[in-house]
Amino acid sequence: GAGGIGRAIAARLQHDGHRVALWDLDGDAANEAARALPESSALGVRVDVTDEASVAAAMHATLARFGTLHVLVNSAGATGPVANVTDCDLAAWQRCIDVNLRSVFLCSRAAVQPMREAGFGRIVNLASIAGKEGNPQMSAYSAAKAGVIAFTKSMGKELALTPIRVNCVAPALIETPLLAQLTPEALGASLAKIPMQRAGTAQEAANLVAWLASDQCSFSSGATFDLSGGRATY
């Protein structure tokens, strides 16, 4: 929630009338990001989204503050090891899977019952174009994001007869601090694939998420929405 895309989404959702809780592993950063939002109702919560007990505690704190839950945006991410599969460290591989995929499972599972009780729910997962195409030397990240896309399809079908919609966004490069984790070679290769010849912005991501989080998104569930500057062709 204190990161580039998460922070922009929080600001946009607050602008649309939501009260927001920003979850982040860095509790100080979460609190600072919450204080920086225009409305003082925002809540910062320290949480490890890869840990079941931590997610449960964060959900409890959020519900204690706001009383209900209507929208969950899963935006935690890390690029993980940038290396050939044969050179990948297992611990680094697993950490990448946990941050990008395990977190989506834990947070989404925790959100369903409060959303059922609220009679409305929107879960929006941040995947990646890498989950569709498989970026070389980013196998852990690509596999995790492909998992997010498949998880979104499954959960969307499971909840299709409820008031809860589950969708995901598959961005290409977005201008956030996460880009600093890429090597210059990987960054250049990714930019070269984008017909618009630029990275997207966090605000462009927030605008799409805002629609997916709204009641106007009523007949889409389990879907993947591209945000790739024309890169995606399917």
Side-chain angles (χ1 to χ4, degrees):
I5 294 178
R7 193 165 181 159
I9 291 170
R12 171 57 198 267
L13 292 180
Q14 189 183 73
H15 178 269
D16 290 350
H18 294 274
R19 295 174 297 169
V20 299
L22 292 86
W23 293 10
D24 202 282
L25 183 61
D26 186 334
D28 291 338
N31 288 323
E32 186 277 327
R35 288 193 298 268
L37 290 172
E39 298 296 329
S40 59
S41 63
L43 173 68
V45 182
R46 186 199 177 281
V47 55
D48 179 353
V49 290
T50 71
D51 181 80
E52 183 176 16
S54 185
V55 169
M59 183 62 72
H60 178 79
T62 300
L63 292 173
R65 173 69 171 270
F66 298 124
T68 190
L69 179 71
H70 297 100
V71 174
L72 168 69
V73 180
N74 286 305
S75 63
T79 57
V82 180
N84 291 331
V85 171
T86 52
D87 299 322
C88 276
D89 174 74
L90 177 58
W93 167 279
Q94 188 60 59
R95 178 61 180 166
C96 183
I97 298 296
D98 289 346
V99 171
N100 291 289
L101 181 57
R102 177 186 173 99
S103 65
V104 175
F105 163 71
L106 290 175
C107 294
S108 298
R109 186 180 63 172
V112 171
Q113 188 56 38
M115 288 179 176
R116 284 184 181 272
E117 293 172 0
F120 178 92
R122 297 292 184 268
I123 297 174
V124 185
N125 302 319
L126 269 293
S128 170
I129 196 71
K132 289 187 169 188
E133 297 187 357
N135 289 352
Q137 296 189 316
M138 295 179 67
S139 58
Y141 183 77
S142 299
K145 292 304 189 179
V148 171
I149 292 171
F151 178 85
T152 299
K153 292 177 181 180
S154 294
M155 197 171 190
K157 290 181 173 70
E158 291 176 8
L159 297 173
L161 296 180
T162 76
I164 302 171
R165 301 291 171 260
V166 187
N167 292 291
C168 72
V169 176
L173 287 179
I174 303 294
E175 293 175 352
T176 71
L178 194 66
L179 291 189
Q181 298 182 24
L182 296 177
T183 64
E185 293 77 14
L187 178 60
S190 294
L191 279 173
K193 295 178 182 179
I194 300 174
M196 291 188 185
Q197 298 183 0
R198 68 171 177 88
T201 68
Q203 188 58 56
E204 287 171 323
N207 292 340
L208 178 53
V209 170
W211 179 76
L212 293 170
S214 74
D215 58 4
Q216 294 179 346
C217 177
S218 55
F219 197 54
S220 293
S221 199
T224 301
F225 292 79
D226 291 311
L227 190 72
S228 66
R231 172 176 169 179
T233 56
Y234 64 96

